[in-house]
């Protein structure tokens, strides 16, 4: 089969307001995951492992930490003379100027650049989901079905009302679509990974937005347009998938990772690539207790850490106890600090005596060391 001209667009401009303090000072795709990674690493690694070499990243909200991490695409072999990584930022002074107001609007603002690339297929990914997938399989499904849009779907055993929900007929044809329905009629949700036929996408953006734009999110305009006018099919994701949209989902994805039921990050045939900090390996002192946990480089543990994930340069002092926690970069957990079911943001310096954590809830402690949010675990 002839290899089509594929453009990948990763949408990484969202504020992530439901993550509270974790996104007060950084965009959601730059949030730390599994101690050693950033959330955007997952999307970029799926593309790199799928040998997709033209990758554009749409940015908007607080992109500075994200750009520093991206390192011009080097960790994913995207710092190339031909093809490679390209950053798309809001601009003024030409067609598409201004700030997008949603996912569809982001594509509309850069429609001229997409048209100039002249892609046969456009892969569109969100940068805030945990999953691994060979994206060339999605392309194969799209071509074999003669589709104009292929949506990656998955069965979801939780609250499907937060997502787009579909009904699928014979040969994977999407027959109906509901966007964040109060009472979802099926448990088959859209993962916000799409494969569009390039000409059909550009035509849709022109028809929906015209010269003014003002589009919104996929589910409110672009997807209904395609289902009404074009051939839309599904590509089913059978493995793990998690939308990191809430504190509960962020915490739960780490607990599942520790339990061995979460996303697979250590497959040598499908590595998750990143720009690692240049630090010494983690250190566990004499008398410390560490069980069922993940420690990133530069971490030092003198106390007790159970079923928790520590990011780089975290220090847990003697007498401190962590259980079911996610602790981000540079945090110091002092003596007689006992945390359970907590997420601790970067740079917090916690001193005891202090106990935090509520059964059945996840507690967020910000970089100033204050408990700022408690959320029921869904």
């Amino acid at each position: 089969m002839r290899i089509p001209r594929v453009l990948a667009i990763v949408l990484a401009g969202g504020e992530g307001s439901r993550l509270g303090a974790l996104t007060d000072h950084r965009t959601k795709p730059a949030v730390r995951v599994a101690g050693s990674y950033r959330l955007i690493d997952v999307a970029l690694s799926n593309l790199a492992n799928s040998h997709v070499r033209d990758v554009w990243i749409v940015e908007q909200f607080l992109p500075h930490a994200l750009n520093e991490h991206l390192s011009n695409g080097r960790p994913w072999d995207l710092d190339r003379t031909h093809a490679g990584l390209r950053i798309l930022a809001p601009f003024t002074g030409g067609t598409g100027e201004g700030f997008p107001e949603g996912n569809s609007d982001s594509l509309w603002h850069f429609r001229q650049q997409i048209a100039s690339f002249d892609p046969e297929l456009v892969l569109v990914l969100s940068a805030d989901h945990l999953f691994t997938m060979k994206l060339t399989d999605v392309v194969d499904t799209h071509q074999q079905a003669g589709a104009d849009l292929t949506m990656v779907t998955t069965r979801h055993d939780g609250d499907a009302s937060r997502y787009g929900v579909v009904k699928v007929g014979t040969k994977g044809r999407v027959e109906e679509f509901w966007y964040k329905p109060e009472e979802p009629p099926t448990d088959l949700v859209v993962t916000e990974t799409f494969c569009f036929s390039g000409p059909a996408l550009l035509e849709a953006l022109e028809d929906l937005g015209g010269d003014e734009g003002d589009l919104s999110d996929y589910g409110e305009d672009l997807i209904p347009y395609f289902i009404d006018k074009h051939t839309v099919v599904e590509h089913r994701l059978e493995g793990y998938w998690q939308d990191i949209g809430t504190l509960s989902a962020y915490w739960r994805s780490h607990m599942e990772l520790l339990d061995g039921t979460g996303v697979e990050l250590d497959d040598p045939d499908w590595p998750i690539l990143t720009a690692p900090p240049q630090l010494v390996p983690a250190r566990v002192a004499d008398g410390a207790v560490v069980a069922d946990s993940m420690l990133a480089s530069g971490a030092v543990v003198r106390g007790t850490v159970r079923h928790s994930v520590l990011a780089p340069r975290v220090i847990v002092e003697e007498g401190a106890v962590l259980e079911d926690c996610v602790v981000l970069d540079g945090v110091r957990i002092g003596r007689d600090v006992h945390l359970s079911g907590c997420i601790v943001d970067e740079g917090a310096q916690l001193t005891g005596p202090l106990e935090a954590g509520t059964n059945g809830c996840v507690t967020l402690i910000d970089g100033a060391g204050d408990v700022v949010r408690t959320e029921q675990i869904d």
Side-chain angles (χ1 to χ4, degrees), residues 142-347:
H142 185 87
Q143 291 185 301
Q144 291 170 13
D148 300 295
L149 167 60
T150 299
M151 303 192 294
V152 177
T153 63
T154 192
R155 296 288 182 189
H156 183 64
D157 58 5
D159 180 12
S161 67
R162 292 169 45 198
Y163 310 106
V165 178
V166 296
K167 175 185 176 183
V168 176
T170 58
K171 297 183 178 180
R173 181 74 180 262
V174 176
E175 296 179 341
E176 294 187 66
F177 171 81
W178 302 268
Y179 187 54
K180 298 182 178 181
E182 291 186 6
E183 298 183 3
T186 79
D187 64 350
L188 193 58
V189 303
V190 180
T191 68
E192 294 193 19
T193 297
F194 305 103
C195 181
F196 292 93
S197 294
L201 174 61
L202 290 167
E203 178 185 348
L205 294 174
E206 191 65 33
D207 286 353
L208 290 168
D211 294 329
E212 300 297 328
D214 295 326
L215 299 183
S216 186
D217 285 326
Y218 299 132
E220 297 175 348
D221 41 46
L222 197 56
I223 302 307
Y225 176 96
F226 267 84
I227 289 177
D228 182 52
K229 296 181 179 296
H230 292 289
T231 299
V232 181
V233 301
E234 70 155 347
H235 179 93
R236 187 70 59 86
L237 172 60
E238 300 292 352
Y240 183 89
W241 174 82
Q242 180 66 257
D243 173 12
I244 307 298
T246 64
L247 286 176
S248 173
Y250 179 79
W251 176 85
R252 187 175 62 251
S253 68
H254 284 84
M255 299 302 105
E256 291 169 343
L257 184 63
L258 292 170
D259 293 336
T261 60
V263 65
E264 187 174 6
L265 300 178
D266 56 356
D267 182 354
D269 296 324
W270 203 266
I272 302 302
L273 307 169
T274 190
Q278 302 304 308
L279 298 168
V280 298
R283 183 176 181 180
V284 178
D286 184 32
V289 176
V290 178
D292 201 19
S293 296
M294 300 175 69
L295 312 182
S297 55
V300 177
V301 179
R302 301 186 182 95
T304 299
V305 177
R306 294 190 177 94
H307 203 255
S308 296
V309 178
L310 307 189
R313 298 180 293 103
V314 170
I315 297 176
V316 181
E317 299 287 9
E318 183 179 358
V321 178
L322 298 179
E323 187 170 8
D324 297 331
C325 290
V326 182
V327 185
L328 303 188
D329 301 51
V331 170
R332 180 182 290 271
I333 307 294
R335 180 186 294 270
D336 295 327
V337 174
H338 295 181
L339 304 181
S340 176
C342 291
I343 302 168
V344 187
D345 198 9
E346 292 185 8

